[in-house]
Amino acid sequence: MARYENEGQWGREGYDYTQGREGYDYSRGREGYEHSRSREAYEDRSEPSTSRFTVIRRINGIISLVCGLFAAVLAVHIFLFVFEANFGNPFAAFVSDWARMVSLGLGNLFLPPNEKAQIALNQGIAAILWLVIGWLVTTIIARILLPYPDRSWYRRSQ
């Protein structure tokens, strides 16, 4: 017993595969497909231009990359410090200098008695903050500079 009207017809000879279950004609490609919403509803939407979208997307990508890089430098410094790397090594010294610059002033936020715990806790918080800052800035830029009809909280009334 068939649950659906077209069930069992897909393997039969003579079945017209260009007709969908709802009767849409797929043989003409996307032009023949009629959606439940009208075409005018899609044309009335104020979509951003492709070049504007691309520029904003690249700016957000750069911001995400920089914030992620700062968080990665802090994570590598935590790893090197906890596992007692030789900070006389140029790579370790370079990472340590960068970590000191991008720690957001959180180097002495918590002062546990263990120095490894202090570095891990303070710079770990700074790394997480860099990721949150990157997410927040890119979200705000996208919401303000790429307006959509459902995002009208920042627009003036006309």
Side-chain angles (χ1 to χ4, degrees):
M1 184 169 158
R3 293 185 308 219
Y4 304 106
E5 63 186 53
N6 286 342
E7 187 175 45
Q9 295 179 0
W10 291 101
R12 292 187 185 166
E13 290 182 31
Y15 182 75
D16 187 7
Y17 291 101
T18 62
Q19 295 290 325
R21 266 182 44 175
E22 295 84 13
Y24 299 128
D25 186 7
Y26 294 108
S27 63
R28 294 184 295 173
R30 293 193 61 83
E31 297 84 34
Y33 181 75
E34 291 296 326
H35 196 273
S36 61
R37 293 185 184 178
S38 66
R39 188 177 217 65
E40 293 82 27
Y42 288 110
E43 291 173 356
D44 288 344
R45 288 181 62 166
S46 58
E47 295 289 333
S49 67
T50 306
S51 62
R52 180 178 179 180
F53 180 78
T54 304
V55 168
I56 292 171
R57 188 169 179 188
R58 286 184 181 166
I59 289 171
N60 282 347
I62 291 170
I63 291 170
S64 296
L65 180 71
V66 168
C67 290
L69 180 68
F70 290 169
V73 165
L74 290 167
V76 169
H77 183 256
I78 292 169
F79 178 80
L80 292 176
F81 195 83
V82 168
F83 291 105
E84 299 174 358
N86 176 15
F87 283 98
N89 181 305
F91 174 74
F94 175 76
V95 170
S96 179
D97 291 341
W98 268 93
R100 195 174 308 113
M101 286 189 285
V102 298
S103 67
L104 298 173
L106 300 176
N108 294 324
L109 182 63
F110 296 106
L111 298 172
N114 186 354
E115 190 177 9
K116 289 181 182 179
Q118 177 184 354
I119 295 292
L121 185 63
N122 294 331
Q123 291 192 356
I125 291 172
I128 292 170
L129 280 176
W130 273 115
L131 295 176
V132 169
I133 289 168
W135 171 80
L136 189 64
V137 168
T138 56
T139 301
I140 289 172
I141 288 173
R143 288 199 177 247
I144 291 176
L145 297 179
L146 292 175
Y148 287 98
D150 56 343
R151 294 186 194 153
S152 59
W153 54 270
Y154 58 87
R155 293 186 188 166
R156 292 185 210 166
S157 301
Q158 293 181 1

